[in-house]
Amino acid sequence: MIEHLSHSAFVINLVRRWAGQGFFVCLFAVATTLSHAQTSGQVVQLPFFDDFSTVVNNRPDPKLWQSSSVYINNTMGINHPSVNVATFDGLAPNGLPYTLTDRFAAGSNDTLQSQPINLGGLAPADSVYLSFYWQIRGLGELPDEDDTLKLEMRNNLGVWETVWYQYGGRPDNNFRQAFVSIRATKFLYGTFQFRFRAIGRSSGAYDTWNIDYIYLNSKRSLTDRYIRDIATRQAVGPSFLKRYTAMPLNQYLINPAAETADSIRTDIVNLFNNFNFTSFRFTTRELVTGRLIQDTQTQSKLIPSLNSQVLSARLTPVTGTFPAGRVVLKHTFDVLTTDDQNPSIPTVNLRRNDTISGVTVLDNYYAYDDGSAESATQIGRLERWAVRFVLNKADLMSGVYAYIMPFNVDQTGQQFTIRVYANDKGKPGTELYYKTFAMQYPPARNGFVEFKFDRQVALTDTFFVGYQQISEDELSKLRLGLDKNSPFGSELFYRAGPGTDWIQNLKTPQLALTGAFMIRPIMGGKGAEVVLANPEEETDEMKVYPNPTSGRIAWKHPAIKKLELFDLNGRSIHVITPASGQQTADLPGLPTGMYLIRMSNSQRSVVQRLLIN
């Protein structure tokens, strides 16, 4: 093999091999291949197989792949072959777009490149094939028609050649299997490499492709499409909790049985064209103390060929005392198969994809998301979103965790507001608190930034948390992370603008947003000033009079910093910024009719209907 040759013998062999191809071509090939052989480390032997079930920090296995920005996850794919996919989405390893200086920037971005693979000594008759599954979009964004996903192979001259490609623009929820023959002698050498490369927008997660179940070996054929493998697949869920994906421990312990879901599930898929049997073990372990909460085993079940089957386990509520003040539960399905004795892929233990886990955190916050954003949602300046939460006992709120997805331009420092609302017959009501924050990006993909309140908000039962855009610039709209896999979309509420009603997501034809926002209220704070809101009194003070008015208004609240007049379509007409002590103002000459006026102090704002006659 090449890696065993001395440098001099290696060069002589290359020169003999490439004689007649030109002196400079020969020198280039020698330099390229020798440099690669010296720096790449151990050459991978056939078979080459990866289903991405072996992953560290959401990155590909370094034994098989060079350093890459592709995102290994189990949330972006739809009906993928096995647990985890490799996602190409235009984001660097830190979760930021490759560029935030040009929103139209496009080109080559995510690349997944193999380590050197030994195909030396093979001939076309050895029937070498590379197979893989691919999917366009998944739960991400659909690539445009001129965006591409390419499979490229490095020939023995060090030149990358495109051997397979797909264009965007054609949505498809299925994973398609591709078979690529490697018969040309220019690819049958000792440090062969292949790579997948996505070409599209570089200023955000505009274009999404998923890859899974890659298998390269000799002695294959076009009928060699089925691997004798049973694999876990769907993320464990939907949640250990009935109403949330995470909640404060002290709120959970009030009634663990009522808060714990009846069961939790995943699914497995039989990737072979024959029937098979399997059983599974389900465990829940508390990771802070190491305590085993639950351990059950299910009898064997028949799985039809090329089909999937749901695995479900009844859940045991968590009770007791927890000195650490937090609980981290790991729920594991371990499918019992004989994949380690599978002759389909010699030397590869297919038991690697037979185990799948999920985690539930009981700490100091509520969440409806699973910690991963498949998409994001942006709103206009006058629009508002709010998320509903229900307490088991009165509590204090001290801030939020939020994930804002980077997109188009660098929005660091841009201002937005977080608002807390009381309950009004199941919808957001009186505004209890608001605070303006400067936007921050998290240090990593799907990271959360803590936005702390300057005082705590006292809450008794149901409350709502929302955010509002401040800038009118289309390029400055913030994109709040959206977990498309969440089943709690009905907890979202939307208001189109001042004076309009709140409407509930998934309950009205106008709103059908799938998923949950990645915004998490932080509860149980101590030591800060507490807001004991008296909404009726404050709202009564924050109003203008007379109403109706002929053009002059006055107000009692001395802390009002800004008054803004809107028409009923939400267009801003006039802004008043009072001087110190000012409590009256004249409005510009306006047609008779109904208007909206928004009054703001340093903490909150109130909207009032105002009739001008």
Side-chain angles (χ1 to χ4, degrees):
M1 295 187 297
I2 287 179
E3 64 269 25
H4 293 159
L5 296 176
S6 67
H7 291 320
S8 57
F10 180 54
V11 172
I12 291 171
N13 284 349
L14 285 175
V15 171
R16 287 174 177 168
R17 183 174 182 178
W18 293 322
Q21 296 190 27
F23 176 74
F24 291 106
V25 172
C26 181
L27 280 183
F28 170 77
V30 170
T32 300
T33 309
L34 180 56
S35 172
H36 184 68
Q38 288 177 318
T39 61
S40 61
Q42 181 64 43
V43 174
V44 179
Q45 305 298 320
L46 292 181
F48 182 104
F49 174 80
D50 200 3
D51 60 354
F52 303 107
S53 59
T54 303
V55 58
V56 179
N57 297 325
N58 300 114
R59 293 288 157 245
D61 185 350
K63 295 178 182 178
L64 299 176
W65 306 101
Q66 294 190 352
S67 178
S68 173
S69 60
V70 297
Y71 171 44
I72 309 301
N73 66 92
N74 201 39
T75 64
M76 296 293 292
I78 299 174
N79 295 327
H80 38 302
S82 66
V83 57
N84 290 344
V85 298
T87 296
F88 299 69
D89 60 1
L91 299 180
N94 61 1
L96 295 176
Y98 287 96
T99 177
L100 285 174
T101 58
D102 178 5
R103 67 190 181 104
F104 297 112
S108 178
N109 42 61
D110 294 327
T111 300
L112 180 64
Q113 181 171 323
S114 74
Q115 296 288 11
I117 304 167
N118 182 18
L119 299 187
L122 295 172
D126 289 308
S127 190
V128 179
Y129 276 90
L130 172 66
S131 64
F132 58 93
Y133 286 84
W134 64 276
Q135 181 181 59
I136 187 172
R137 186 175 63 179
L139 288 179
E141 298 296 319
L142 178 66
D144 294 332
E145 291 182 356
D146 55 349
D147 298 327
T148 55
L149 177 68
K150 294 184 176 183
L151 170 64
E152 300 171 323
M153 296 181 179
R154 189 198 291 267
N155 65 28
N156 54 12
L157 298 180
V159 178
W160 288 101
E161 297 186 24
T162 300
V163 297
W164 176 94
Y165 63 90
Q166 288 291 328
Y167 282 111
R170 299 179 296 275
D172 186 352
N173 286 339
N174 295 316
F175 266 84
R176 304 292 181 180
Q177 190 178 30
F179 259 65
V180 179
S181 174
I182 308 177
R183 296 182 181 275
T185 56
K186 61 185 175 181
F187 297 129
L188 300 177
Y189 65 102
T191 54
F192 164 80
Q193 285 180 286
F194 67 92
R195 69 184 183 189
F196 295 95
R197 189 162 61 95
I199 300 170
R201 291 281 288 273
S202 303
S203 57
Y206 280 103
D207 311 310
T208 303
W209 304 86
N210 295 315
I211 294 289
D212 197 10
Y213 227 75
I214 300 172
Y215 177 34
L216 170 64
N217 206 357
S218 59
K219 310 302 181 185
R220 300 187 67 189
S221 71
L222 287 174
T223 61
D224 179 24
R225 292 180 176 270
Y226 308 113
I227 297 174
R228 196 170 300 170
D229 185 17
I230 293 177
T232 57
R233 183 170 62 168
Q234 300 289 354
V236 175
S239 177
F240 172 80
L241 302 169
K242 280 184 179 178
R243 301 187 295 162
Y244 305 99
T245 56
M247 67 184 298
L249 177 60
N250 64 346
Q251 295 282 343
Y252 172 82
L253 290 176
I254 292 174
N255 194 342
E259 293 293 348
T260 303
D262 295 331
S263 62
I264 200 168
R265 62 182 181 270
T266 184
D267 80 338
I268 53 177
V269 60
N270 182 4
L271 296 169
F272 190 53
N273 59 341
N274 207 337
F275 290 90
N276 215 321
F277 289 88
T278 188
S279 58
F280 70 93
R281 178 187 180 193
F282 174 77
T283 59
T284 294
R285 186 175 296 276
E286 203 287 294
L287 298 183
V288 177
T289 62
R291 171 185 162 199
L292 184 63
I293 305 293
Q294 184 174 350
D295 188 348
T296 57
Q297 188 160 327
T298 301
Q299 297 297 319
S300 295
K301 292 183 177 182
L302 177 67
I303 307 176
S305 62
L306 304 176
N307 215 323
S308 64
Q309 186 176 88
V310 173
L311 303 183
S312 179
R314 303 267 319 163
L315 290 172
T316 300
V318 178
T319 58
T321 58
F322 301 93
R326 67 191 299 263
V327 168
V328 180
L329 303 173
K330 184 176 183 180
H331 320 286
T332 301
F333 285 88
D334 185 12
V335 181
L336 307 178
T337 71
T338 57
D339 288 347
D340 55 333
Q341 303 167 11
N342 195 318
S344 298
I345 309 180
T347 75
V348 175
N349 186 348
L350 293 174
R351 281 276 290 140
R352 58 195 280 172
N353 58 26
D354 291 354
T355 301
I356 191 170
S357 299
V359 173
T360 300
V361 176
L362 305 174
D363 194 353
N364 67 339
Y365 61 87
Y366 285 99
Y368 289 117
D369 65 272
D370 64 7
S372 62
E374 288 71 51
S375 185
T377 297
Q378 62 186 22
I379 61 174
R381 185 173 66 86
L382 299 179
E383 299 174 279
R384 295 189 187 182
W385 279 104
V387 187
R388 179 171 58 188
F389 300 90
V390 181
L391 299 171
N392 289 330
K393 67 175 182 178
D395 209 338
L396 301 176
M397 180 179 172
S398 59
V400 300
Y401 296 118
Y403 172 60
I404 299 175
M405 181 180 286
F407 183 72
N408 271 340
V409 296
D410 188 351
Q411 297 172 313
T412 302
Q414 180 180 314
Q415 291 191 327
F416 70 102
T417 61
I418 297 292
R419 299 175 183 269
V420 182
Y421 304 93
N423 180 42
D424 181 12
K425 299 177 183 178
K427 295 182 178 181
T430 302
E431 187 175 281
L432 301 177
Y433 178 86
Y434 88 91
K435 181 175 173 60
T436 300
F437 294 93
M439 207 287 294
Q440 304 174 53
Y441 287 132
R445 178 193 284 262
N446 294 324
F448 284 82
V449 173
E450 181 178 0
F451 297 97
K452 294 182 179 180
F453 294 168
D454 51 14
R455 59 187 77 184
Q456 296 177 37
V457 182
L459 303 166
T460 57
D461 186 6
T462 300
F463 68 98
F464 297 77
V465 177
Y467 87 106
Q468 183 182 16
Q469 179 79 26
I470 292 180
S471 173
E472 296 184 17
D473 183 2
E474 286 293 316
L475 295 181
S476 298
K477 288 183 177 180
L478 300 178
R479 289 168 59 93
L480 188 62
L482 180 69
D483 171 18
K484 285 189 173 183
N485 290 294
S486 174
F488 299 112
S490 60
E491 302 303 323
L492 306 181
F493 292 78
Y494 172 78
R495 194 174 81 178
T500 60
D501 292 331
W502 288 94
I503 56 177
Q504 186 175 3
N505 187 42
L506 303 182
K507 301 294 184 179
T508 57
Q510 304 98 306
L511 283 182
L513 186 66
T514 300
F517 289 135
M518 295 176 67
I519 187 167
R520 302 173 169 184
I522 305 169
M523 312 303 295
K526 299 177 181 179
E529 181 184 356
V530 177
V531 176
L532 296 173
N534 187 340
E536 292 184 2
E537 178 181 342
E538 291 195 33
T539 302
D540 187 59
E541 288 187 6
M542 288 185 66
K543 70 179 182 179
V544 299
Y545 64 91
N547 190 6
T549 178
S550 59
R552 186 173 180 82
I553 58 173
W555 57 92
K556 293 180 179 179
H557 203 301
I560 288 180
K561 304 292 185 183
K562 182 180 179 181
L563 299 94
E564 189 168 7
L565 192 67
F566 301 88
D567 64 19
L568 293 182
N569 291 320
R571 290 188 292 265
S572 179
I573 296 173
H574 184 62
V575 176
I576 302 168
T577 305
S580 178
Q582 179 183 348
Q583 290 184 262
T584 63
D586 291 319
L587 300 176
L590 295 169
T592 297
M594 185 67 71
Y595 296 83
L596 302 172
I597 188 165
R598 180 170 62 192
M599 297 144 283
S600 305
N601 59 18
S602 58
Q603 299 178 2
R604 55 194 299 271
S605 65
V606 172
V607 176
Q608 174 189 344
R609 292 178 181 267
L610 181 66
L611 178 62
I612 296 178
N613 58 20

